[in-house]
Structures are given as structure tokens and as C-alpha cells.
């Protein structure tokens, strides 16, 4: 019976269910596909039944898998609670803290500001995990999140940390060649770089979609850094966060230089982990840094 519900096997079972296949589960768990398949095989052998149907669309739960799912989720919740309890008793400001955020916040805001934190807390290692998918703090995929979308979960500590502004940018070479759009209506006559369909729900993507009308993008991406690279290459015009674009050589604001959109910044952590010294120290450091950087983040 103990083999039936070994946590390691159940963890791999849950990852396959959530990601849909062995390859994605292996990336999520940072192991190879063979390991994921072995754990699934062990669990199926112990239970004496198949847990997934394999089809072209991925792994789909069988009836037995559906019955096991709520049990596995309860075991996961208890295992994660135990892990948080253990971490909560750690009174040393040292160890690993994993922070998840967007690509552009991670590379162009967080990373350049961690030197001072490291000098203050040399025993703390910070891992920045950038992903379009919001990592789940309740499942301990990360310890802290810096997000531009609020999170409503009773188990999470959520604090508004600041605001970031967006403006329309072009390369100097592009402006010399094509001129600078002065109004939102004029954007539709320019070469536009925009966010792809995977970001349709994001405010910055919606703003550009409304502004461009029926004009197609010359370049699409879910990466702000990629769009910024296109602007720096004088390819076209894009909506970008001011903290990332204002200090780029050869990049200028258009639309008379004003900001056109703002988004809130949120610091998030599981309530249990927020009491851990190293997590608390990083959250306070980031909150202070964001407050001190208000003018830059607002594009002033």
C-alpha cells in the first residue's frame, strides 16, 4: 500500500496531468522523460491499472486516473504544507529563493538590482525564473512572484509594490526615414511591431491591437526584449515599458513623448513562506527598490 501512494510517483502523475505529456512534465520537474515515464509506470503497476490514455493530443486521464486525481492533489497539498512548515522554522537569512516574473522585468529590472542585495545577504542565492505562464506559488513552483496581474488566493500574501508605464518607441533611424507618429491615429500608417496572440489578454497587447486597426504587424512576439530589439534595429514602432526602453541608445519616444498605459506591479508570496527570513528579506528589498525607482518605472 505504501508503494501505491509514494509522493514522488504522485508528483510525476500530477505533472503529466497538468502539462499533458512526458516531455513537458520533464521540463517542469527538471528531470528526463525516462524518469517521468518510470515513475508513472511504477504507480500504474502498484495500482494495477492504466492512469492515462495516450492519444495525439497528449495524455488524458482514464477513469482510474480521474479517481486518483483528487487523492493525489490532497497528498500534494499536505506535502507542500510540510515543506513550508520546515522552511518556516529556518531562522537563517541564507539559502535559495526562487522569484518568478516576466522576461523583461527579470532581465532589465531585477537582475541589475541584485548586486546590492547579494552584498547585504551573501548567503542567499536568488534564482530568477522567467516564464509567460504564471508559476504556481501554492504548488511551490517558486517562492516569490513579481507580477503585473493581481492574484486573489487566500493562501497568498499580495502587496502592490508600484506602477510601470508604457510609451510608444521607435529607433532614430526609423524616425529619420519614416517620420514620427504624433497621434494614436497615425500609428496605423507606420510599420508596427506587436505582441502575438498568446498575449491577447494583456493590456499592452490590447492597446496596440486597437491602435493598429487592420494593419498587420511586421514583427510579432510574446517577448518584450524581442520587440525592443526590433525597435533598436529601426524596423518599426512598438509599445514598450519605459524602464526598459528609455535608456536604450538610439531609441526615442514618439506620440509627442507621453506615456500611454500604466500597469500595477505586485509582489506575491505564500503566507507561510513570507515569514522565512531569506524570503522576507528579498521581498522587503524589492519593495524598497521599486519605491525608490518610482520615477524611472513611471517614465518620468
Amino acid at each position: 500500500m505504501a508503494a501505491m501512494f509514494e509522493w514522488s510517483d504522485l508528483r510525476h502523475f500530477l505533472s503529466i496531468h497538468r502539462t499533458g505529456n512526458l516531455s513537458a512534465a520533464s521540463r517542469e520537474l527538471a528531470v528526463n522523460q525516462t524518469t517521468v515515464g518510470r515513475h508513472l509506470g511504477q504507480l500504474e503497476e502498484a495500482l494495477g491499472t492504466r492512469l492515462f490514455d495516450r492519444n495525439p493530443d497528449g495524455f488524458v486521464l482514464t477513469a482510474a486516473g480521474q479517481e486518483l486525481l483528487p487523492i493525489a492533489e490532497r497528498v500534494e497539498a499536505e506535502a507542500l504544507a510540510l515543506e513550508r512548515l520546515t522552511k518556516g522554522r529556518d531562522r537563517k537569512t541564507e539559502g535559495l529563493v526562487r522569484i518568478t516574473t516576466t522576461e523583461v522585468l527579470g532581465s532589465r529590472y531585477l537582475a541589475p538590482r541584485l548586486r546590492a542585495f547579494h552584498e547585504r545577504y551573501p548567503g542567499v542565492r536568488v534564482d530568477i525564473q522567467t516564464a509567460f505562464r504564471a508559476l504556481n506559488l501554492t504548488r511551490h513552483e517558486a517562492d516569490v512572484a513579481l507580477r503585473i496581474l493581481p492574484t486573489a488566493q487566500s493562501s497568498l500574501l499580495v502587496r502592490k509594490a508600484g506602477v510601470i508605464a508604457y510609451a510608444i518607441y521607435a529607433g532614430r533611424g526609423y524616425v529619420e526615414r519614416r517620420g514620427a507618429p504624433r497621434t494614436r491615429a497615425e500609428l496605423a500608417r507606420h510599420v508596427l511591431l506587436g505582441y502575438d496572440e498568446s498575449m491577447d489578454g494583456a493590456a499592452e497587447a490590447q492597446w496596440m491591437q486597437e491602435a493598429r486597426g487592420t494593419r498587420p504587424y511586421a514583427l510579432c512576439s510574446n517577448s518584450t526584449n524581442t520587440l525592443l530589439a526590433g525597435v533598436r534595429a529601426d524596423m518599426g514602432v512598438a509599445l514598450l515599458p519605459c524602464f526598459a526602453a528609455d535608456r536604450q541608445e538610439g531609441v526615442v519616444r514618439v506620440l509627442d513623448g507621453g506615456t500611454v498605459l500604466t500597469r500595477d506591479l505586485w509582489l506575491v508570496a505564500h503566507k507561510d513562506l513570507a515569514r522565512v527570513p531569506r524570503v522576507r528579506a528579498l521581498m522587503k528589498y524589492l519593495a524598497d527598490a521599486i519605491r525608490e525607482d518610482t520615477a524611472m518605472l513611471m517614465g518620468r
Side-chain angles (χ1 to χ4, degrees):
M1 289 296 293
M4 287 185 183
F5 301 105
E6 185 177 334
W7 165 228
S8 184
D9 293 342
L10 291 175
R11 186 163 69 98
H12 286 76
F13 162 79
L14 286 170
S15 183
I16 296 168
H17 165 62
R18 289 164 179 160
T19 62
N21 57 65
L22 297 182
S23 176
S26 71
R27 290 193 297 273
E28 180 180 76
L29 297 170
V31 298
N32 58 47
Q33 289 188 49
T34 303
T35 299
V36 178
R38 185 179 73 251
H39 280 280
L40 175 60
Q42 290 172 178
L43 187 58
E44 288 181 329
E45 183 178 355
L47 294 172
T49 186
R50 258 184 326 106
L51 298 173
F52 292 98
D53 285 325
R54 286 74 163 172
N55 61 42
D57 295 325
F59 281 50
V60 179
L61 289 173
T62 62
Q66 292 282 3
E67 290 180 6
L68 178 62
L69 181 61
I71 298 171
E73 290 174 335
R74 288 197 297 272
V75 173
E76 177 187 50
E78 293 298 327
L80 294 176
L82 178 60
E83 186 175 350
R84 288 192 296 269
L85 176 64
T86 302
K87 285 190 173 183
R89 290 177 175 170
D90 182 359
R91 299 305 174 192
K92 298 178 181 178
T93 310
E94 59 183 36
L96 171 66
V97 182
R98 298 169 301 163
I99 180 167
T100 177
T101 190
T102 64
E103 174 201 32
V104 70
L105 279 168
S107 63
R108 298 189 180 273
Y109 184 74
L110 286 182
R113 279 156 185 80
L114 286 177
R115 175 182 171 182
F117 178 81
H118 173 69
E119 290 173 348
R120 191 178 307 173
Y121 301 105
V124 179
R125 188 188 108 198
V126 179
D127 280 8
I128 300 176
Q129 303 180 18
T130 62
F132 180 66
R133 176 180 72 87
L135 298 186
N136 191 311
L137 301 186
T138 302
R139 294 208 303 265
H140 203 212
E141 293 178 344
D143 303 313
V144 177
L146 180 61
R147 292 176 174 165
I148 53 177
L149 288 174
T151 302
Q153 281 183 267
S154 60
S155 62
L156 299 179
L157 177 69
V158 183
R159 294 287 183 266
K160 182 178 174 181
V163 179
I164 58 175
Y166 290 71
I168 303 296
Y169 293 87
R172 292 188 187 279
Y174 177 90
V175 171
E176 292 171 1
R177 189 173 72 250
R178 296 286 301 267
R182 293 171 298 173
T183 66
R184 184 172 177 173
E186 289 182 9
L187 278 177
R189 299 198 294 271
H190 282 262
V191 179
L192 300 180
L193 319 181
Y195 299 94
D196 67 19
E197 62 277 2
S198 68
M199 293 187 64
D200 281 350
E204 56 268 41
Q206 292 175 348
W207 195 98
M208 281 298 291
Q209 287 167 0
E210 293 168 5
R212 69 170 172 151
T214 58
R215 189 175 184 84
Y217 289 131
L219 171 67
C220 263
S221 180
N222 66 350
S223 163
T224 302
N225 280 331
T226 298
L227 298 183
L228 177 55
V231 168
R232 291 188 65 187
D234 298 324
M235 182 177 182
V237 179
L239 175 64
L240 299 167
C242 298
F243 75 84
D246 276 347
R247 290 162 176 76
Q248 295 298 305
E249 185 177 354
V251 174
V252 296
R253 291 193 199 182
V254 293
L255 264 63
D256 292 330
T259 60
V260 300
L261 177 71
T262 60
R263 302 202 66 179
D264 294 335
L265 273 178
W266 302 86
L267 272 170
V268 187
H270 196 284
K271 289 179 179 177
D272 293 341
L273 288 184
R275 296 192 295 266
V276 176
R278 62 180 177 274
V279 175
R280 186 171 65 244
L282 180 61
M283 291 189 73
K284 183 182 184 306
Y285 176 83
L286 292 178
D288 291 344
I290 291 168
R291 184 172 58 253
E292 292 170 5
D293 291 335
T294 294
M296 182 198 68
L297 292 170
M298 287 295 293
R300 296 172 185 159

